[in-house]
Amino acid sequence: MSSKAKVIALILSSAMAMNAYCAEMSSKDAPKEKAKPVNAKVEFVQKLQNLLNSGDLDAAIASFDSLSDENTKDSDLMLIKASLLISSGKTSDALKVLDALEENDPSNIEVLEMKIVAAKAQGSKGTSAKKAAISKVIALDPNNATANIELAQEQVINHKYKFARNYYKKALISSPKDPGALFGYGQTSYYLNDIDEARIAFKKMLALNPNAAIAYQYLGKLEAEDENYKAALEYINKAIEIEDDNYDFYMDLGTYSRYRGKFADAEKAWTKAISINPDYFLAYTYRAGLYDEQNKLDLALNDYRKVVETNPKYYFAYEALGILAWHAESYDEARKAFETAYSYNKENVSYPLMIAACYIKAGQLQKAKLFLQQVMKGMADKQTVEFSMVRLYHDQGPGNAENDLAIKIPKIDKTTPKGKMLFYFALYYDLKGVNTLAAKYYAEVKNMNSPMFFEYRLAEWSLEK
């Protein structure tokens, strides 16, 4: 359960306690014939309840200033105050209230649980306080749900799913119906590929709460693991019926639709995800790949532009952006994309060669030469075919260098390096306007029938012109 959800749960449970308290006191105090003055605590709780019902959180917090000295020591009321302070982001004030309560009663689990929530809400600032509160709770109750769930979540963040699951399992001992513990146990079981345990946990969540949309989502994931995408779609659609503005649900809907060959449905799902959160990159990435697969290259290019706009650090997208911008003859854009890709992977000789080609396409041969000078300085082995190709682009010849590469390239054993060098040899002649030789080498690339390198597509496009 998230910190926010925990606070809400605490407030709701406190409100229920207030209602029960009011009812009990009213029952006890109600005379048979003549009304007596209302108990001061009951009166305060009723006023507080009205303020909470109106949504005036600040006024609800301020109302505690009117409490008598006796009632300021009431642990039930002070817990409510602390929970309201946490909800309003005043975690330091909440911790002061909780420290006072703990001093009066060091073994009060409710106080310590709320200290965990308040300290967690402070982020790194509250790390030591949270750790101390967890230790105290575990000492009093080794299977406490709040403490063990928090310990589990820390392990999940570090991808230590086995340890996390053990903590969730402990939490379920004391609170077998806790939705946070059930979900965490199911999720970590899924990550550990314990599909049966995961399925049991998520189905138990639904038995306790038929509107637990996230349980339907994960049951869909379990079906997808078995490539049962029809059932996966049924589950994710149930999740969406309950929660129709969840980004992740539409991402899954698109994925399962695509695997079933329903491209239009996949596009619609990812477009919906984008409408929910247009500032997140992932749906653009998936939709771009879908458009690319359907040869809707202009649409794919636009989506890859959005990918790098929304997440400039997602380096996987720059190669695809460069390829599609090249196809669109947007050579400055292509060059910049390949430059970013090159900054992430200096070992891939394709990127500097494409950067140089973009410069040349844009009529900036001198810039290409200056750039390739730096590239050659950084290449340790000067005897490779790759170095010879980079030098050929820099020197733009001469004929003996071309002949040397024409002999060396066919002798390359591995398919991908050979295909790449054939492409750049073809592109070299293409840039120089030697169309016959360019077509010859492009055709050799295409005849390899091995599209495991992006240059294969560029060769195909060149032959289609």
Side-chain angles (χ1 to χ4, degrees), residues 11-35:
I11 292 173
L12 290 175
S13 63
S14 298
M16 289 173 65
M18 285 193 290
N19 289 333
Y21 181 84
C22 291
E24 181 182 355
M25 292 301 296
S26 298
S27 173
K28 287 180 178 179
D29 294 345
K32 294 181 180 179
E33 297 180 358
K34 187 175 180 181

Side-chain angles (χ1 to χ4, degrees), residues 420-435:
K420 285 175 175 283
M421 290 301 100
L422 280 172
F423 169 77
Y424 289 108
F425 207 30
L427 179 57
Y428 165 78
Y429 285 117
D430 194 349
L431 295 169
K432 292 178 74 72
V434 185
N435 297 331

Side-chain angles (χ1 to χ4, degrees), residues 168-454:
Y168 284 126
K169 193 172 184 178
K170 281 187 175 184
L172 288 170
I173 292 172
S174 62
S175 299
K177 296 181 179 181
D178 186 289
L182 277 171
F183 172 72
Y185 185 80
Q187 185 186 50
T188 50
S189 294
Y190 167 68
Y191 290 155
L192 293 167
N193 203 34
D194 192 343
I195 303 301
D196 290 339
E197 283 294 297
R199 185 174 283 112
I200 290 169
F202 295 127
K203 287 193 172 181
K204 188 171 183 179
M205 282 182 69
L206 289 173
L208 295 168
N209 177 13
N211 290 320
I214 199 166
Y216 283 116
Q217 182 199 20
Y218 269 84
L219 286 170
K221 290 180 183 294
L222 297 179
E223 294 296 340
E225 287 290 318
D226 291 332
E227 299 184 6
N228 189 356
Y229 298 112
K230 184 176 183 294
L233 279 170
E234 290 173 358
Y235 276 124
I236 199 60
N237 276 315
K238 286 181 180 178
I240 289 170
E241 286 176 13
I242 297 166
E243 194 175 323
D244 66 357
D245 60 349
N246 187 299
Y247 185 96
D248 292 335
F249 292 175
Y250 285 99
M251 291 301 299
D252 287 353
L253 177 62
T255 299
Y256 306 151
S257 297
R258 182 176 183 177
Y259 279 128
R260 295 205 73 206
K262 297 178 178 293
F263 287 178
D265 290 347
E267 179 185 346
K268 183 179 177 181
W270 290 326
T271 300
K272 175 65 175 179
I274 288 168
S275 73
I276 293 170
N277 188 357
D279 296 324
Y280 191 58
F281 76 101
L282 197 58
Y284 292 112
T285 305
Y286 280 40
R287 194 175 67 173
L290 180 68
Y291 284 144
D292 200 352
E293 188 175 340
Q294 297 176 89
N295 210 35
K296 298 177 180 179
L297 302 184
D298 290 342
L299 293 173
L301 175 57
N302 286 334
D303 270 358
Y304 278 120
R305 286 169 176 158
K306 293 297 293 184
V307 171
V308 300
E309 176 188 325
T310 53
N311 186 3
K313 294 183 179 180
Y314 189 68
Y315 62 89
F316 299 105
Y318 287 100
E319 182 180 294
L321 177 60
I323 293 167
L324 293 173
W326 174 272
H327 177 267
E329 299 182 0
S330 180
Y331 298 118
D332 284 342
E333 181 181 19
R335 173 179 55 78
K336 290 174 183 177
F338 283 122
E339 283 174 344
T340 305
Y342 184 47
S343 71
Y344 284 106
N345 185 0
K346 293 289 187 181
E347 301 303 314
N348 191 336
V349 74
S350 296
Y351 298 146
L353 287 169
M354 286 304 301
I355 292 166
C358 288
Y359 272 128
I360 296 168
K361 279 283 192 180
Q364 299 174 313
L365 178 58
Q366 190 57 32
K367 287 187 176 180
K369 286 176 171 287
L370 291 171
F371 167 71
L372 291 174
Q373 279 181 6
Q374 297 304 312
V375 173
M376 287 189 292
K377 286 180 182 178
M379 296 179 76
D381 190 346
K382 315 297 184 187
Q383 306 304 314
T384 63
V385 177
E386 287 80 5
F387 181 85
S388 297
M389 186 64 71
V390 171
R391 183 157 193 168
L392 179 68
Y393 271 69
H394 175 271
D395 296 344
Q396 291 294 291
N400 61 332
E402 297 170 6
N403 293 334
D404 184 52
L405 278 166
I407 294 170
K408 287 182 176 178
I409 292 172
K411 294 179 180 179
I412 299 173
D413 293 329
K414 294 183 179 179
T415 301
T416 295
K418 182 177 181 178
K420 285 175 175 283
M421 290 301 100
L422 280 172
F423 169 77
Y424 289 108
F425 207 30
L427 179 57
Y428 165 78
Y429 285 117
D430 194 349
L431 295 169
K432 292 178 74 72
V434 185
N435 297 331
T436 303
L437 285 174
K440 173 181 181 294
Y441 290 113
Y442 282 139
E444 287 190 29
V445 176
K446 186 174 182 180
N447 290 338
M448 295 177 75
N449 292 319
S450 179
M452 298 300 292
F453 48 96
F454 74 78

